[in-house]
Amino acid sequence: MNLNPFLDPGRQEDLYGHASRLARRSNALIRARTVGRPVPDTIVQLARSQRAQGSERLRLVMDIGCGRGTSSRVLAEQLHPERLVGIDAAPALVADARKRVGRVPGVRIGFLKGDFHRIPMPDGSCDLAVAAFCLYHSTHPEQAIAEIARVLAPDGVAILVTKALDSYREMDSLVAAAGLDTRAEQHESLYVSAHGGNLADLAKPSLNVITTEHEEHRFTFDGHEHVAEYVATNPKYDLAPGLYGRSGALAAVLHELLPDAPITTSSVITYVVARPRGGRT
């Protein structure tokens, strides 16, 4: 059995050495979403719900596993902290985030290459720590959460976000039916390390979990070209040589094998809101 690509150190350059692959996959999902709130906006709403009315301006917000900076920009613009720092292990994503986010008036913004098992921030320095769609890249996500707890201020808030184990199962069925990867439905979930069913339990040894929310997101891909944009850059599938990363070639194969039709799939997004142990509940 092949190692889960999200947990395979040897695959990280392939997956995130170029920001364009993640961009194509993410953009295909965003275009397909028909049900579900934008995740960055939901994070902002949860963060605001944990702050006392009239409380002081946030000093430091951290976007851990910031990727291309999509959430970073929203956090900076809507929460307007004194400082926002995005951290990601992939240099290409850090560079892309720095370029995409640019400047937000009144907010000092910086992006760092870093490992979320060893966050390069002092103890108790962070008012809000966000870790969205990144903890399932760790074989020991509880260690990354312990680091988040370390850097949180005594009155700080952590918001952890992940997906359900069975996310996008209809897409797995389509890939298998087309013969692109006949074992698509048998592959281990990409989110097995930190998913909606275990995220709160992973957090509890280090943090005081305040609330856990689950929200279904539904997606309708409007045809083979749209599907191919997502599948061609999805590392879950063992595609034939020449198809990975090439959505046009993959769409052409789909047209040969299956009638072109929309496909609807879903994922339950889980938000865990937590505070340091001994802090305000």
Side-chain angles (χ1 to χ4, degrees):
M1 179 183 293
N2 293 334
L3 185 63
N4 186 320
F6 275 4
L7 303 176
D8 183 354
R11 291 291 304 277
Q12 299 315 296
E13 175 63 24
D14 176 39
L15 299 183
Y16 302 116
H18 302 279
S20 59
R21 287 185 176 179
L22 177 59
R24 290 200 297 272
R25 190 161 72 249
S26 299
N27 290 339
L29 275 177
I30 291 169
R31 283 172 45 216
R33 186 177 62 224
T34 57
V35 175
R37 297 170 293 173
V39 170
D41 292 342
T42 304
I43 293 170
V44 167
Q45 292 168 11
L46 290 169
R48 286 175 171 162
S49 73
Q50 293 299 313
R51 300 197 67 211
Q53 189 171 11
S55 57
E56 294 181 359
R57 182 182 179 188
L58 292 167
R59 296 166 300 164
L60 173 62
V61 170
M62 292 184 61
D63 189 7
I64 298 163
C66 65
R68 301 175 59 241
T70 302
S71 293
S72 305
R73 179 82 190 185
V74 174
L75 292 169
E77 290 180 336
Q78 297 193 26
L79 295 178
H80 207 257
E82 293 179 14
R83 184 184 180 200
L84 182 137
V85 175
I87 297 175
D88 202 282
L93 297 185
V94 170
D96 197 49
R98 188 177 290 121
K99 179 173 62 177
R100 291 180 72 230
V101 174
R103 295 182 178 181
V104 174
V107 181
R108 289 186 294 136
I109 298 175
F111 291 93
L112 304 173
K113 179 184 179 299
D115 181 349
F116 56 20
H117 300 95
R118 294 181 294 276
I119 297 173
M121 289 291 167
D123 295 1
S125 59
C126 181
D127 293 323
L128 173 65
V130 173
F133 305 134
C134 63
L135 292 169
Y136 42 66
H137 286 85
S138 172
T139 55
H140 298 287
E142 68 281 0
Q143 294 179 6
I145 295 171
E147 266 293 275
I148 292 171
R150 178 187 66 79
V151 302
L152 274 183
D155 202 31
V157 175
I159 299 177
L160 317 176
V161 188
T162 192
K163 303 184 184 185
L165 274 173
D166 62 350
S167 296
Y168 318 120
R169 60 188 180 278
E170 294 85 359
M171 194 68 75
D172 297 344
S173 299
L174 180 145
V175 170
L180 294 169
D181 178 356
T182 57
R183 297 190 64 255
E185 295 173 290
Q186 282 75 54
H187 291 314
E188 182 177 71
S189 171
L190 293 174
Y191 317 113
V192 67
S193 180
H195 53 84
N198 74 352
L199 185 59
D201 288 336
L202 290 170
K204 286 176 181 176
S206 302
L207 294 165
N208 179 26
V209 173
I210 304 301
T211 184
T212 301
E213 295 188 10
H214 307 281
E215 181 181 46
E216 183 181 29
H217 284 215
R218 296 189 67 79
F219 308 86
T220 296
F221 292 78
D222 56 21
H224 288 339
E225 277 75 17
H226 195 179
V227 166
E229 290 176 32
Y230 175 76
V231 171
T233 55
N234 190 322
K236 183 176 186 178
Y237 306 122
D238 294 328
L239 301 175
L243 294 184
Y244 184 67
R246 300 180 61 199
S247 59
L250 197 149
V253 173
L254 282 172
H255 279 293
E256 292 177 6
L257 298 172
L258 293 176
D260 195 358
I263 177 173
T264 296
T265 188
S266 65
S267 175
V268 174
I269 307 301
T270 295
Y271 302 86
V272 170
V273 180
R275 288 186 175 275
R277 288 194 168 278
R280 179 169 68 85
T281 61

